[in-house]
Amino acid sequence: MSRTTPVGERIGRVAGTWFPLIVLVAGAIALLVPQVFLPLGAWINPLLGIIMLGMGLTLQPVDFRVIAKKPKAFVIGVVAQYVIMPLTAIALATVFQLPPALLVGVVLVGSAPGGTSSNVMVYLAKGDTALSVAMTTASTLLAPVLTPLLVLWLAGSYLPVDAWGLFQSIIFIVLLPVIAGLVLRMLLPRLVRAILPWLPLVSVTGITLVVLAVVAGSAATILSVGLLVALVVILHNGVGYGLGFLAAKSVGLDSSAQRAVAIEVGMQNSGLAAGLAKTHFSPEAALPGAIFSVWHNVSGALLASFWSRRPTKDAVRDEAPTAAS
């Protein structure tokens, strides 16, 4: 029946494998010739919606069994996501005295849910993939409420924050597409199974276009303060990995869960943060999200490669995730 599925799987595997390099090259190209990609700016939020629809299509009821099996690991992971990254964001932005637009951009990254590429990295790192998927889903579903409130709390004293506008944007960009994906999988399971192998390619293409758009729109800012913002992003991401790992270890989670929580906390849906920043603040505010989108996929791949050579006694090896963002 089919040659389509094997071809889709091969293309999806290649896209996922080379994702960090693709995003890195895209960012460099957008910086060199930004004018070419400026028209993509209007498509950032629709592209993010397509990526989130893909996430919804990959979800099944079985993905949530881990919540009953490992409630402590699940709760620790989700709480760490929305405590460690937002507080680290405002701390770094304050220490480095970032201007308000960049500060809110860093806070948006820290207040965003986990990115689905974290699921792929956890799988490669021989971590608990089921836990990672459940954490990503939960943080995504909580984002319409928690992200606006966190941004208002942490950045509201530096510049005006439209929390209601952020809430509405996240509903339309994140929640509705994820729910639509879940519904489509229930109503049209055969069709969805046929397109699942192609979803990594769709997600990689989508986030690459988002990076092209955001970097192009922020090119002038990158050239003036890019190194400082890059340093903040690298520290933010690294602290997320480190404190996420320590939080999981401190409550006695097994080593596969420690890896899952560390990667899940450190990797953010920075494309969403960049889209929200551009819509509700300024192109400059989108810069931290753009740089984070490039960097966390590179660092995540490096960390996954490191851990993949150090198997755990309790390693949980599930099926490979099918989406990246």
Side-chain angles (χ1 to χ4, degrees), residues 45 164-174 272 276 279-280:
N45 289 346
W164 177 245
L166 287 171
F167 171 81
Q168 291 177 304
S169 291
I170 298 171
I171 290 290
F172 285 105
I173 296 171
V174 176
L272 172 64
L276 293 173
T279 300
H280 294 280

Side-chain angles (χ1 to χ4, degrees), residues 62-228:
V62 67
D63 294 324
F64 302 97
R65 288 180 187 171
V66 70
I67 299 175
K69 290 181 178 178
K70 299 182 177 181
K72 182 170 76 169
F74 172 76
V75 171
I76 289 296
V78 174
V79 170
Q81 174 85 45
Y82 278 114
V83 171
I84 291 171
M85 293 303 277
L87 294 182
T88 301
I90 191 64
L92 288 171
T94 303
V95 167
F96 286 93
Q97 299 181 333
L98 297 182
L102 292 176
L103 179 144
V104 77
V106 173
V107 169
L108 268 167
V109 170
S111 304
T116 56
S117 58
S118 61
N119 307 151
V120 178
M121 301 306 176
V122 170
Y123 174 78
L124 296 174
K126 295 184 169 65
D128 190 334
T129 311
L131 175 62
S132 175
V133 170
M135 285 175 57
T136 300
T137 305
S139 66
T140 299
L141 296 177
L142 290 169
V145 174
L146 292 183
T147 299
L149 290 178
L150 286 166
V151 175
L152 179 63
W153 173 45
L154 297 172
S157 61
Y158 294 91
L159 75 178
V161 174
D162 180 8
W164 177 245
L166 287 171
F167 171 81
Q168 291 177 304
S169 291
I170 298 171
I171 290 290
F172 285 105
I173 296 171
V174 176
L175 195 60
L176 292 181
V178 169
I179 292 173
L182 283 164
V183 171
L184 284 172
R185 180 144 193 175
M186 288 189 291
L187 296 179
L188 304 167
R190 190 172 298 177
L191 174 62
V192 171
R193 281 197 299 271
I195 65 174
L196 279 177
W198 295 92
L199 289 182
L201 177 61
V202 172
S203 294
V204 168
T205 302
I207 200 64
T208 301
L209 291 172
V210 169
V211 168
L212 285 168
V214 175
V215 172
S218 309
T221 308
I222 291 174
L223 294 174
S224 59
V225 296
L227 287 177
L228 175 61

Side-chain angles (χ1 to χ4, degrees), residues 40 43-52 173 205-210 213:
L40 289 174
W43 291 91
I44 291 175
N45 289 346
L47 286 166
L48 291 168
I50 291 170
I51 293 166
M52 299 316 297
I173 296 171
T205 302
I207 200 64
T208 301
L209 291 172
V210 169

Side-chain angles (χ1 to χ4, degrees), residues 241-267:
Y241 290 145
L243 292 185
F245 181 82
L246 290 175
K249 189 170 185 176
S250 68
V251 297
L253 300 187
D254 61 48
S255 54
S256 62
Q258 291 170 17
R259 295 181 183 190
V261 172
I263 293 174
E264 193 65 33
V265 171
M267 298 188 71

